[in-house]
Amino acid sequence: MKPSLARGTRDFSALEVSRRRYIINTLQKNFELFGFQPLETPSFENLSTLTGKYGEEGDRLIFKILNSGNYLDKISQEELTIENHQALTKKISEKALRYDLTVPFARYVAMNQGQLTFPFKRYQIQPVWRADRPAKGRFREFYQCDADVVGSESLLQEVDLVQLYLKSFAELGVSVTIHINNRKILSGLAEFAGITDKLIDFTVALDKLDKIGKDGVVKELLERGIAQESIDKLDFLFNQSDDALENLLQLKEKFTGNQTGLKGVEELEFVITQSLNLGVDIQNLVFDITLARGLDYYTGAIFEVKADGVQMGSIGGGGRYDNLTEVFGVKNIPGIGISFGLDRIYLVMEELGLFPEEATSKVEFLFANFGGNETVEALKLIRQLREKGISAEMYPEAAKIGKQFTYAEKKGIKNLVFLGEEEIKNGTITYKDLEAGEQKTVSLEEFLG
């Protein structure tokens, strides 16, 4: 049987793992600089923990885990013939792979609230799973790198997360634009158009604008039962200027008497103004009135990060979710969080050639194997190098020197070391820089530094 990978998954070579670690280490360093502490949660949760938190489309993408043993044992033949998949799923699956890191985090906070110091800031770097259709930059298994704050309603958290995004991507060399909106503005727009009862349908359709365009969004709104008259009132959404504050001023006029919408505008004005005061370039922070992010738990600010100059979906996103822990029976714990999409960030950096030399893990020295006493002396030197934190290895067999050269070149090893009978007698060592093509003979003391 020919081996194969499950769709939407990948193997990672040594080069890819090294580069992924470079991204993770950069993010982790910045998370901790901003005061976030690490947390890890299980790869699977109770299905009831996850369902109902991501909206209709999100729930369909949750990977369910079949109950162990004879999972059909308690299912009658009649139930099997009725096409009610949701009812059947609950009986044969009690657990599921986590869809994101936010809901498990909310579950953790709800379970441990008495032991936490609020505001509680945590970061989490772990894989998540979604039964999505694989495409460029979209996988069924992928890592998320999240930073969340719970227990604070201060809009300074939003401002701080903007700084965290920009600092992290600047260190990775990725030029980005942060798109920002507020769910209260979207609720205000629904009220303005007379479709408050269709808010979720409205936001789910609007969230697809960058994928299906204006015509596609209008078509989906009609299919979801939203009248043409209401859609016409929202037409201005698709014709925004490049001036964020000017667009907010236009909204203020439309939201006269609309308290929810005005509150959203006020919050967004604060975040944008304070970010600009801290030196953020207005080109890097864009008010995107059509940004919806189709997750039901967002209640305030929402973010989406896109890489400049690359055809790729968002490489980061997040928002405020003031009511998330309430579904677990714990009220009044507001929260906000952002996520970095590791896999897409990798693809962007690869496409733009942004990985530095230090992002690639390479062996510094390969010792040629001459056999006999030379091997023993070489192994002693290798041990001393390793104790100094310098990577070194010996070719395992006393093969022809050409074969050992080829191994070093294919593996990308920087230097090939020769410790033969002559070098041992003279207390020297000879090594060849395989990148520069230069060969040197130096004393052991100089070599070991």
Side-chain angles (χ1 to χ4, degrees):
M1 180 179 173
K2 188 177 179 180
S4 63
L5 279 170
R7 287 190 67 210
T9 64
R10 300 143 296 157
D11 292 320
F12 298 110
S13 67
L15 175 64
E16 290 168 325
V17 170
S18 296
R19 288 178 167 181
R20 286 166 66 85
R21 284 180 180 170
Y22 171 75
I23 297 171
I24 289 172
N25 290 341
T26 300
L27 298 180
Q28 182 173 318
K29 181 195 72 174
N30 281 302
F31 288 155
E32 295 183 358
L33 280 175
F34 278 69
F36 294 88
Q37 297 178 316
L39 175 72
E40 292 188 355
T41 59
S43 58
F44 59 91
E45 297 273 351
N46 290 325
L47 182 58
S48 58
T49 297
L50 303 179
T51 52
K53 315 301 188 303
Y54 307 108
E56 179 185 337
E57 293 197 7
D59 280 354
R60 285 203 299 266
L61 300 181
I62 294 173
F63 269 114
K64 286 82 175 176
I65 301 174
L66 289 174
N67 295 337
S68 56
N70 186 357
Y71 54 85
L72 292 178
D73 191 41
K74 298 179 181 179
I75 308 298
S76 66
Q77 286 297 318
E78 182 182 357
E79 287 175 310
L80 285 173
T81 57
I82 298 174
E83 292 189 7
N84 188 343
H85 302 300
Q86 290 184 338
L88 188 61
T89 298
K90 292 177 181 178
K91 293 193 174 184
I92 64 174
S93 174
E94 296 173 355
K95 296 176 178 61
L97 295 175
R98 62 174 170 243
Y99 177 91
D100 71 353
L101 300 178
T102 305
V103 171
F105 171 56
R107 187 265 309 149
Y108 173 86
V109 172
M111 291 179 65
N112 297 278
Q113 55 171 320
Q115 288 76 49
L116 300 178
T117 300
F118 292 105
F120 177 57
K121 303 174 73 170
R122 84 84 171 85
Y123 74 87
Q124 196 169 344
I125 302 174
Q126 287 186 282
V128 298
W129 295 265
R130 295 183 186 179
D132 209 347
R133 181 176 296 175
K136 181 184 178 182
R138 180 183 296 141
F139 306 100
R140 288 176 170 171
E141 178 186 61
F142 58 96
Y143 267 72
Q144 283 189 338
C145 310
D146 284 14
D148 288 73
V149 186
V150 292
S152 172
E153 294 181 340
S154 171
L155 294 175
L156 290 176
Q157 304 294 354
E158 278 86 335
V159 176
D160 211 34
L161 291 175
V162 168
Q163 308 299 309
L164 175 57
Y165 260 144
L166 292 176
K167 185 176 188 302
S168 300
F169 282 117
E171 290 189 13
L172 292 171
V174 181
S175 176
V176 298
T177 301
I178 301 176
H179 294 249
I180 185 171
N181 198 5
N182 192 298
R183 285 299 282 252
K184 294 183 181 72
I185 289 177
L186 293 170
S187 296
L189 288 170
E191 184 178 331
F192 171 74
I195 53 170
T196 303
D197 59 328
K198 294 281 188 178
L199 175 61
I200 293 176
D201 291 303
F202 167 55
T203 55
V204 167
L206 195 62
D207 196 42
K208 299 176 183 177
L209 180 64
D210 60 339
K211 298 172 188 156
I212 62 178
K214 175 185 174 181
D215 292 341
V217 171
V218 170
K219 180 183 177 184
E220 184 160 334
L221 290 173
L222 290 169
E223 289 172 350
R224 289 175 174 269
I226 295 176
Q228 184 65 54
E229 180 184 355
S230 295
I231 296 173
D232 290 342
K233 291 187 72 173
L234 297 168
D235 188 67
F236 74 96
L237 295 180
F238 307 104
N239 301 289
Q240 296 290 294
S241 77
D242 294 331
D243 189 322
L245 297 178
E246 181 183 318
N247 292 333
L248 285 170
L249 185 61
Q250 181 187 29
L251 274 183
K252 278 185 179 179
E253 296 172 359
K254 293 184 181 296
F255 285 163
T256 302
N258 184 330
Q259 294 305 312
T260 300
L262 288 172
K263 180 67 173 173
V265 170
E266 178 187 324
E267 290 180 0
L268 199 52
E269 266 186 329
F270 178 89
V271 175
I272 292 175
T273 302
Q274 293 304 318
S275 296
L276 296 179
N277 289 340
L278 289 171
V280 172
D281 191 325
I282 189 62
Q283 302 300 318
N284 296 125
L285 187 60
V286 174
F287 167 38
D288 186 350
I289 198 171
T290 63
L291 174 63
R293 292 195 65 79
L295 298 180
D296 287 355
Y297 54 66
Y298 289 129
T299 57
I302 44 179
F303 302 98
E304 200 158 87
V305 183
K306 296 182 180 179
D308 299 331
V310 181
Q311 290 297 316
M312 181 71 68
S314 62
I315 59 174
R320 182 166 283 280
Y321 46 88
D322 286 347
N323 304 317
L324 192 57
T325 56
E326 192 169 332
V327 299
F328 300 116
V330 180
K331 297 183 179 181
N332 302 320
I333 302 184
I336 182 171
I338 58 172
S339 180
F340 292 77
L342 172 63
D343 300 278
R344 287 188 176 181
I345 294 171
Y346 183 102
L347 291 173
V348 168
M349 293 183 68
E350 184 177 51
E351 185 173 330
L352 297 177
L354 297 175
F355 284 108
E357 180 67 25
E358 62 264 28
T360 305
S361 177
K362 289 185 178 181
V363 175
E364 192 75 22
F365 297 103
L366 172 69
F367 280 69
N369 191 329
F370 295 113
N373 183 55
E374 289 95 329
T375 300
V376 175
E377 294 301 315
L379 288 173
K380 290 178 182 178
L381 275 179
I382 289 171
R383 186 186 67 182
Q384 292 181 67
L385 287 171
R386 289 171 176 170
E387 286 175 351
K388 290 174 175 290
I390 300 170
S391 59
E393 63 172 284
M394 168 166 276
Y395 192 80
E397 288 89 27
K400 291 181 178 179
I401 198 66
K403 187 175 182 180
Q404 300 189 48
F405 257 113
T406 301
Y407 172 82
E409 289 173 346
K410 286 186 174 180
K411 198 173 177 183
I413 295 173
K414 296 179 179 180
N415 302 282
L416 183 58
V417 181
F418 307 101
L419 184 63
E421 185 178 335
E422 190 71 21
E423 282 85 5
I424 294 172
K425 186 173 80 171
N426 296 328
T428 61
I429 197 161
T430 300
Y431 68 94
K432 183 168 186 176
D433 184 330
L434 297 179
E435 293 177 351
E438 299 175 354
Q439 185 166 307
K440 293 181 180 179
T441 298
V442 298
S443 68
L444 284 177
E445 290 79 8
E446 184 180 344
F447 179 71
L448 292 171

